[in-house]
């Protein structure tokens, strides 16, 4: 396949009003709006029976409050729903039912649970590793026990880990490893966007598929409305690439659309894996500028821990398969005998009751002895995580947060700022990255623990998305993560009580208003 063919597949499409009006996105949006109007119209019809309806609404609202008090959702979300129900009781209840039930996604809830149960013993845990971890009080072994409640997430030794401080560094290494692929290439990304980055990758994928390599590409269905044409899977298949879109958007209301595949995974031959915040779009490697300089991070793993990313990919890939195939998980993986420390890849699924991403972050905060340094693009906290951050600082831990200086979403930026005063008063140090946008999702603590992955400090990541990350303990690259944080901090402005006081009225007002509906964002 020629390079020109790959370029045509990856070349950005021209935008305009006419293509938008006749696009799949516009048609689906129109049909979804029509369904919402039908629901609103039904509510208006009920208002014609005002007297009876008012009495019903009073009793109904009381019942809903009782229901919320006994619900397992976090307290911040309960307050949001109480506000909604007090303003629009019936539509609010419909929306609550819509988001809290399996409406429209019962099949995927069942299927994901089935796949997780099917693979719960796919990768045996090395007992010697757990024995070694039990000899210290880091809590890492206990954390592994917790993570295995919701999946198969062993902790490994003899795995080499390399940390990338920028998306362009990961991209360069990624191209080199893709060129070496001999058996399989598994890619799972939240965003794939046509352009230079994807074009360079696609050239290699087409060449490898032609050479008989098993090439599979899985991307989130939202890409078909924003960054890729709806027939992109078919276009890739014409070049020997197996492609799927997770949860493609269709013109029917469903709470299933709330659950997106936010993971970023690349596994090559079952021997090399990449994980981190970097999607496959040009801004992630600073080839184009959208919100100033784009700061992102990633990891490359070589060794037995790669098996967990193979398993995570195949679980998502097999969701719509009649017969599941997990044989690549058991392929032989060479150990890196000189590699030090422990590595534990893990995933988070929104369709169970375990808030894995948040639990890991809180475990690090609660066990820290010296410091916890964090990079995140968003700061939309529930009460539990905000309390954990403040408690860590109040007991003398050096807690620092690096957040964007130039936002990609102004409402999310305003919401982040609404937490500043409370956190700073508790002793948390907050910094904003002045050159641009921080998209990294990093925790590093006490020179011995770190997490690099896809999990943001916001409700979407912590509650509604399929996510993944890599937990590191005593690996040499933790020193690189710590150094990168300090180097990035040098390019930041520190948030102070004075800067909070002098914040623009827009962000103060917007943050206060948006905080009411933060759990829905």
């Amino acid at each position: 396949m020629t390079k020109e063919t790959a370029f045509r597949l990856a070349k950005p499409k021209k935008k305009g009003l006419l293509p938008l009006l006749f696009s799949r996105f516009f048609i689906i949006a129109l049909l979804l709006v029509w369904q919402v109007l039908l629901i609103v119209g039904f509510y208006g019809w009920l208002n014609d029976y005002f007297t009876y309806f008012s009495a019903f609404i009073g009793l109904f609202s009381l019942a809903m409050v009782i229901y919320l008090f006994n619900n397992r959702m976090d307290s911040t979300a309960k307050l949001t729903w109480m506000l909604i129900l007090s303003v629009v009781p019936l539509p609010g209840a419909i929306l609550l039912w819509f988001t809290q039930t399996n409406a429209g996604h019962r099949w995927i809830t069942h299927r994901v649970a089935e796949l997780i149960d099917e693979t719960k013993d796919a990768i045996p845990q090395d007992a010697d590793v757990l024995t070694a971890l039990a000899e210290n009080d880091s809590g890492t072994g206990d954390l592994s026990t917790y993570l295995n409640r919701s999946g198969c997430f062993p902790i490994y030794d003899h795995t080499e880990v390399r940390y990338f401080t920028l998306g362009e560094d990961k991209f360069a290494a990624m191209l080199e490893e893709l060129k070496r692929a001999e058996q399989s290439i598994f890619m799972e990304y939240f965003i794939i966007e046509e352009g230079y980055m994807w074009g360079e990758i696609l050239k290699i994928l087409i060449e490898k598929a032609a050479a008989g390599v098993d090439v599979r590409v899985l991307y989130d269905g939202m890409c078909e409305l924003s960054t890729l044409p709806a027939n992109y899977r078919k276009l890739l298949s014409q070049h020997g690439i197996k492609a799927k879109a997770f949860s493609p958007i269709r013109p029917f209301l469903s709470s299933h659309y709330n659950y997106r595949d936010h993971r970023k995974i690349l596994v090559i031959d079952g021997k090399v894996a990449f994980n981190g915040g970097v999607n496959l779009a040009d801004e992630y490697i600073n080839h184009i500028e959208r919100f100033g300089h784009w700061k992102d991070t990633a990891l490359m793993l070589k060794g037995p821990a790669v098996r967990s990313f193979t398993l995570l990919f195949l679980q998502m890939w097999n969701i719509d398969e009649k017969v599941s195939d997990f044989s690549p998980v058991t392929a032989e993986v060479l150990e890196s005998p000189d590699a030090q420390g422990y590595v534990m890849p893990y995933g988070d699924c929104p369709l169970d009751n375990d808030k894995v991403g948040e639990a890991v972050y809180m475990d690090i905060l609660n066990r820290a002895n010296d410091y916890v340094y964090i990079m995140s693009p968003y700061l939309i906290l529930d009460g539990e995580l905000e309390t954990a951050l403040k408690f860590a600082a109040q007991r003398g831990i050096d807690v620092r947060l690096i957040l964007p200086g130039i936002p990609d979403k102004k409402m999310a930026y305003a919401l982040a700022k609404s937490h500043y005063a409370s956190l700073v008063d508790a002793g948390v140090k907050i910094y904003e990255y002045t050159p641009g946008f921080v998209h990294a999702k990093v925790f590093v603590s006490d020179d011995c623990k770190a997490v690099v992955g896809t999990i943001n400090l916001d409700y979407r990541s912590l509650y509604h998305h399929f996510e993944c990350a890599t937990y590191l303990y005593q690996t040499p690259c933790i020193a690189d993560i710590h150094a990168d944080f300090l180097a990035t901090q040098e390019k930041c402005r520190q948030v102070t009580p004075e800067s909070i006081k002098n914040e623009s009225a827009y962000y103060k007002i917007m943050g206060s208003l948006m905080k009411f509906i933060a759990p829905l964002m």
Side-chain angles (χ1 to χ4, degrees):
M1 194 57 56
T2 65
K3 292 183 178 180
E4 288 75 16
T5 301
F7 177 75
R8 285 198 300 273
L9 276 173
K11 185 179 179 181
K13 302 298 186 292
K14 293 182 179 179
K15 298 179 181 179
L17 181 59
L18 196 61
L20 176 64
L21 291 176
F22 289 96
S23 69
R24 182 169 177 265
F25 170 81
F26 185 79
I27 294 170
I28 289 177
L30 199 64
L31 289 170
L32 290 174
V33 169
W34 173 70
Q35 292 173 70
V36 171
L37 290 176
L38 281 179
I39 295 172
V40 173
F42 175 72
Y43 180 67
W45 173 78
L46 286 176
N47 270 323
D48 293 337
Y49 302 89
F50 183 75
T51 303
Y52 304 105
F53 187 54
S54 295
F56 167 76
I57 285 296
L59 293 173
F60 181 78
S61 298
L62 178 62
M64 290 305 300
V65 169
I66 295 172
Y67 166 78
L68 284 172
F69 265 100
N70 288 277
N71 194 282
R72 291 186 179 184
M73 73 175 70
D74 74 276
S75 57
T76 307
K78 288 181 181 180
L79 289 173
T80 294
W81 283 112
M82 284 183 184
L83 172 68
I84 293 172
L85 290 167
S86 67
V87 177
V88 282
L90 194 56
I94 293 172
L95 183 61
L96 177 62
W97 170 83
F98 191 67
T99 58
Q100 293 289 300
T101 66
N102 283 337
H105 66 270
R106 188 178 302 275
W107 71 272
I108 195 172
T109 301
H110 173 75
R111 181 59 175 153
V112 168
E114 184 178 73
L115 289 169
I116 290 174
D117 184 65
E118 184 180 340
T119 58
K120 63 183 179 181
D121 299 317
I123 309 172
Q125 173 65 66
D126 187 334
D128 291 339
V129 172
L130 289 182
T131 300
L133 289 170
E135 294 175 358
N136 61 51
D137 60 353
S138 69
T140 301
D142 296 340
L143 188 60
S144 175
T145 300
Y146 165 78
L147 288 174
N148 279 287
R149 291 179 68 253
S150 60
C152 181
F153 304 122
I155 187 162
Y156 306 83
D157 57 4
H158 302 307
T159 295
E160 179 186 341
V161 186
R162 180 180 172 188
Y163 175 71
F164 301 104
T165 61
L166 289 171
E168 41 266 52
D169 297 332
K170 178 222 175 174
F171 178 50
M174 184 179 178
L175 293 179
E176 290 302 313
E177 295 297 335
L178 284 169
K179 291 173 184 176
R180 298 189 182 105
E182 297 177 346
Q183 298 173 349
S184 62
I185 297 172
F186 297 160
M187 306 186 76
E188 179 181 350
Y189 281 85
F190 179 55
I191 295 173
I192 297 178
E193 184 169 6
E194 295 171 316
Y196 170 74
M197 184 183 189
W198 176 236
E200 292 298 301
I201 293 169
L202 190 56
K203 291 177 198 175
I204 301 173
L205 299 186
I206 291 173
E207 291 172 2
K208 291 298 180 179
V213 174
D214 180 10
V215 181
R216 307 188 201 182
V217 177
L218 175 63
Y219 53 85
D220 188 76
M222 288 295 291
C223 289
E224 295 186 336
L225 293 182
S226 55
T227 61
L228 296 174
N231 65 336
Y232 205 68
R233 285 167 282 170
K234 184 177 180 181
L235 293 175
L236 291 177
S237 69
Q238 292 172 358
H239 302 290
I241 299 172
K242 302 169 188 174
K244 292 183 180 183
F246 174 81
S247 183
I249 306 299
R250 307 193 188 281
F252 305 102
L253 290 176
S254 171
S255 58
H256 176 40
Y257 302 142
N258 206 31
Y259 303 120
R260 310 313 314 172
D261 183 2
H262 195 244
R263 294 173 178 174
K264 292 95 178 168
I265 296 173
L266 168 60
V267 180
I268 301 167
D269 293 341
K271 299 175 182 178
V272 181
F274 288 83
N275 180 223
V278 183
N279 282 300
L280 307 184
D282 287 351
E283 63 267 29
Y284 291 85
I285 58 171
N286 289 292
H287 186 71
I288 62 172
E289 183 176 307
R290 293 189 64 196
F291 310 104
H293 183 264
W294 195 285
K295 167 64 179 174
D296 220 325
T297 60
L299 295 176
M300 178 172 69
L301 283 62
K302 293 184 177 181
V306 173
R307 283 198 181 103
S308 288
F309 281 119
T310 304
L311 178 60
L312 284 168
F313 173 86
L314 290 173
Q315 285 175 340
M316 298 298 281
W317 184 265
N318 282 299
I319 280 177
D320 59 352
E321 296 288 337
K322 293 182 180 179
V323 179
S324 305
D325 178 18
F326 291 98
S327 57
V329 176
T330 59
E332 183 179 357
V333 180
L334 295 177
E335 294 185 346
S336 299
D338 296 329
Q340 300 175 357
Y342 303 91
V343 181
M344 181 166 51
Y346 61 96
D348 195 358
C349 170
L351 301 176
D352 57 26
N353 293 320
D354 294 313
K355 297 185 287 186
V356 169
E358 184 175 53
V360 172
Y361 286 161
M362 291 179 65
D363 186 80
I364 292 174
L365 286 164
N366 291 333
R367 293 183 186 271
N369 295 313
D370 185 15
Y371 72 86
V372 180
Y373 296 163
I374 304 164
M375 282 192 273
S376 178
Y378 309 114
L379 191 70
I380 307 175
L381 305 173
D382 64 12
E384 293 178 6
L385 191 50
E386 183 169 6
T387 297
L389 285 163
K390 291 162 62 176
F391 175 63
Q394 288 167 338
R395 65 184 181 88
I397 305 302
D398 181 10
V399 181
R400 304 185 193 181
L401 279 165
I402 292 180
L403 301 166
I406 300 175
D408 66 333
K409 302 177 181 70
K410 287 197 171 182
M411 287 191 293
Y413 194 49
L415 261 173
K417 288 178 177 292
S418 72
H419 294 286
Y420 282 8
S422 175
L423 293 173
V424 170
D425 286 346
V428 176
K429 302 179 183 71
I430 301 175
Y431 302 86
E432 294 182 332
Y433 183 63
T434 52
F437 183 65
V438 170
H439 191 256
K441 307 93 167 56
V442 172
F443 268 57
V444 59
S445 177
D446 294 350
D447 295 339
C448 64
K449 296 180 182 179
V451 170
V452 179
T454 69
I455 307 170
N456 300 319
L457 295 179
D458 69 350
Y459 281 90
R460 295 249 131 239
S461 271
L462 299 174
Y463 292 93
H464 302 310
H465 286 165
F466 289 87
E467 302 280 2
C468 63
T470 307
Y471 180 93
L472 307 170
Y473 178 61
Q474 293 182 339
T475 57
C477 74
I478 291 174
D480 300 328
I481 300 172
H482 177 261
D484 179 46
F485 183 95
L486 295 179
T488 305
Q489 183 183 308
E490 290 297 316
K491 302 172 185 177
C492 297
R493 58 177 176 261
Q494 185 170 0
V495 174
T496 64
E498 189 66 22
S499 67
I500 294 171
K501 182 180 177 181
N502 295 328
E503 188 59 76
S504 71
Y506 169 83
Y507 284 123
K508 287 181 179 178
I509 295 170
M510 182 61 70
S512 298
L513 294 175
M514 296 305 297
K515 208 162 187 177
F516 284 113
I517 58 170
L520 304 182
M521 291 189 67

